[in-house]
Amino acid sequence: MAELTATEPPQLSRSLSLSGASAISTGLAFAAINFLGMAAMLTYVSGPLSWIAVLAGGVFILGVRALFSELNGLYPTAAGIRLWMGRAMNDRVALIITLTYMTAIVLVIGADAYIIGEALAHAFNNGHLVAMVYVTVLLVLATWLNLRGIKLAGAAEKVVTTIVVLGTVAIGVAAIVNHEPLAHPGADSSSSPLQALILGIFLYTGFEWVTTNAEEVTKPKTIQRAMLVAVLVLAASQAIFAVAMGLTLNGEQLGTAYPQLLVAEAALGHAGMLAMLAITALTAVNTFNGGFVTLSRFIYAVAREGKLPRALTRLNDRAVPVLPVYLLGGSSLILAGVVALTGSFFVMVSVCAALEMMIYAAAGYVVWRLRRQDPDQARPFRMRGGAFVALGCAGLFGLLGILASVTVGPDISPVPLLIVLGFAALATVYVFTYVPRLERREAEELAARRAARAAARAASRTGAQVVESQEGARS
């Protein structure tokens, strides 16, 4: 593909409609890993009551939506998360948090790839090698769609999200209607409403990443409306399937990497299992496509401000960040292999939940801080309850993040916390060692450009003076 020249300032294309943005927001949250989140939730709450945990999580997510809507209204850019944190706290700390948070979507993509591999192995009795080939094909397809541009990516997301949501709801309803009365309906390990709430919130996480498309929507209010649509769609679909899973599966079945296939098989037989396999595969296209769209634009925006290598700002002739899309495809494939080798899919659920709670807590703190710093600033969207509610959100999600980071299913484990701290340590090393080099290089190049412009102006003045003196000599 032809690339934009240096004389053409790179700009993202404003072509994303409300339906496309809603599909991206829903698709980012509706990942295959959600089925594992439901299975983990059902170890803490009885199946028939699992809808309460899902809807309670949705209520808390509406608060998150209000936080991100206010902040997106203030900073409607692809790097909005990075910018609003930088306004409320030390710039280095803000960059560390955002880089650590970026790993959440890559982890979801990698875990989803593993889940699809396991689902294929269960359905067709194939080994991991064939499953990884299939995952590779999906990643290549997602990469190609995104390199074709936001319009095609948004259209693909709308089609896939619609099929996934409607198919999941249909199979969930069938499972509820046809479940056996003696099927295990309750939690096997313990009853913990708080842990169930954390996992109920987890089912929505990732919906807020649509804010990184703020420079590509056709109307300014599209982002906040898209997030609301996504929350409502997720609340209904996830609640239905969680109840179906709780009524259909026992504790051993909930511990597999493909509980959704077992629900469909119990409800509709082998044909239902194959239909759910197709839906699971489509969630991968969903997650990969939506994840690439949002995270590649975020990387592009951070690189544009000089905090990541400049090569990441290169756009093709369809205004798509080329190198970030390729990097995301490769890193997702590597992570899928790591999850496959370790079998740590429930650990990934806890890590992703902890990272999401962390950014929700940060968003609450930032809204509180910015309200205090500049209470009279115009805000296109204002969170109800003001600074007090925002600070309460920060404290609540901070606590939930700590709890999520030290549990894996019903067990206490420090592994998720250690992984999060490891990501944070890598981000810290990068911010304090490599970023200063980028900043110095940028400053040197800026000084060189200024010197060149000054020299050109001086040469122009000298030439003009020579011409004037020659004309004076002739006269």
Side-chain angles (χ1 to χ4, degrees):
M1 288 185 183
E3 291 175 359
L4 298 180
T5 64
T7 59
E8 299 172 327
Q11 298 291 332
L12 296 173
S13 171
R14 284 197 172 274
S15 57
L16 190 60
S17 65
L18 174 60
S19 59
S22 299
I24 289 174
S25 183
T26 305
L28 281 168
F30 206 133
I33 198 173
N34 279 30
F35 298 120
L36 298 186
M38 293 178 198
M41 182 180 68
L42 289 166
T43 64
Y44 297 110
V45 63
S46 174
L49 300 178
S50 57
W51 64 271
I52 298 176
V54 176
L55 296 187
V59 171
F60 282 86
I61 286 294
L62 286 176
V64 174
R65 179 251 178 188
L67 291 171
F68 276 84
S69 292
E70 177 166 332
L71 294 170
N72 183 73
L74 290 171
Y75 306 105
T77 72
I81 294 175
R82 156 102 182 96
L83 290 178
W84 48 252
M85 281 203 292
R87 298 292 188 274
M89 59 183 73
N90 177 273
D91 187 64
R92 293 278 195 258
V93 174
L95 186 57
I96 291 170
I97 293 174
T98 51
L99 291 177
T100 303
Y101 177 50
M102 281 169 59
T103 61
I105 286 186
V106 181
L107 285 173
V108 170
I109 294 173
D112 266 30
Y114 166 78
I115 293 167
I116 292 168
E118 287 296 303
L120 285 168
H122 171 75
F124 300 118
N125 222 9
N126 292 328
H128 294 295
L129 181 60
V130 175
M132 288 302 296
V133 170
Y134 182 75
V135 168
T136 302
V137 171
L138 286 175
L139 284 169
V140 170
L141 176 61
T143 301
W144 179 80
L145 285 173
N146 279 275
L147 290 175
R148 295 292 296 172
I150 186 66
K151 286 185 178 179
L152 181 55
E157 194 79 11
K158 283 188 284 187
V159 172
V160 173
T161 300
T162 300
I163 295 173
V164 167
V165 171
L166 294 181
T168 301
V169 169
I171 291 175
V173 170
I176 293 172
V177 172
N178 299 327
H179 81 278
E180 293 293 334
L182 296 179
H184 191 288
D188 280 337
S189 302
S190 62
S191 177
S192 174
L194 190 58
Q195 293 286 359
L197 174 63
I198 292 173
L199 290 164
I201 295 172
F202 171 75
L203 300 179
Y204 300 85
T205 55
F207 84 106
E208 76 284 352
W209 266 95
V210 72
T211 56
T212 61
N213 297 102
E215 295 180 54
E216 298 173 87
V217 292
T218 55
K219 297 180 181 179
K221 292 185 178 181
T222 295
I223 294 294
Q224 66 194 53
R225 292 171 178 170
M227 288 192 289
L228 179 58
V229 171
V231 172
L232 296 177
V233 171
L234 290 165
S237 58
Q238 306 292 285
I240 290 171
F241 204 83
V243 172
M245 187 179 291
L247 292 173
T248 305
L249 305 185
N250 58 34
E252 182 180 354
Q253 292 170 319
L254 289 173
T256 66
Y258 41 83
Q260 73 279 13
L261 299 191
L262 302 181
V263 172
E265 190 171 28
L268 300 170
H270 187 70
M273 187 269 291
L274 292 179
M276 195 68 222
L277 178 64
I279 291 172
T280 303
L282 285 177
T283 65
V285 176
N286 211 342
T287 305
F288 297 163
N289 185 45
F292 281 29
V293 169
T294 55
L295 196 51
S296 65
R297 273 57 173 183
F298 181 78
I299 293 172
Y300 157 81
V302 175
R304 189 175 57 186
E305 64 171 285
K307 304 301 182 183
L308 288 172
R310 187 178 299 172
L312 297 170
T313 64
R314 191 178 62 194
L315 303 179
N316 64 14
D317 57 354
R318 296 178 183 270
V320 176
V322 178
L323 189 55
V325 171
Y326 284 128
L327 287 176
L328 288 172
S331 61
S332 299
L333 185 59
I334 292 171
L335 277 170
V338 171
V339 177
L341 289 174
T342 60
S344 55
F345 46 91
F346 280 117
V347 173
M348 293 299 102
V349 171
S350 297
V351 171
C352 293
L355 288 170
E356 290 289 343
M357 301 301 167
M358 173 193 74
I359 204 66
Y360 295 166
Y365 169 79
V366 171
V367 169
W368 172 77
R369 182 71 175 170
L370 294 178
R371 287 283 189 100
R372 288 174 60 87
Q373 284 181 351
D374 193 357
D376 299 324
Q377 182 177 1
R379 288 171 168 81
F381 182 95
R382 296 182 69 91
M383 179 182 185
R384 293 186 179 182
F388 176 76
V389 173
L391 188 61
C393 288
L396 174 64
F397 284 110
L399 174 62
L400 295 178
I402 293 172
L403 291 175
S405 69
V406 294
T407 56
V408 177
D411 302 320
I412 301 297
S413 172
V415 174
L417 178 60
L418 293 175
I419 293 175
V420 171
L421 292 177
F423 287 140
L426 291 174
T428 301
V429 171
Y430 173 82
V431 167
F432 283 99
T433 57
Y434 193 69
V435 169
R437 298 179 188 176
L438 291 176
E439 293 173 339
R440 285 195 298 270
R441 187 182 308 163
E442 185 72 20
E444 291 170 357
E445 291 177 357
L446 179 61
R449 288 195 297 269
R450 288 175 176 173
R453 287 196 297 268
R457 287 194 296 268
S460 178
R461 287 195 298 268
T462 301
Q465 291 172 356
V466 169
V467 170
E468 290 177 358
S469 61
Q470 290 175 347
E471 291 178 349
R474 292 194 193 98
S475 60

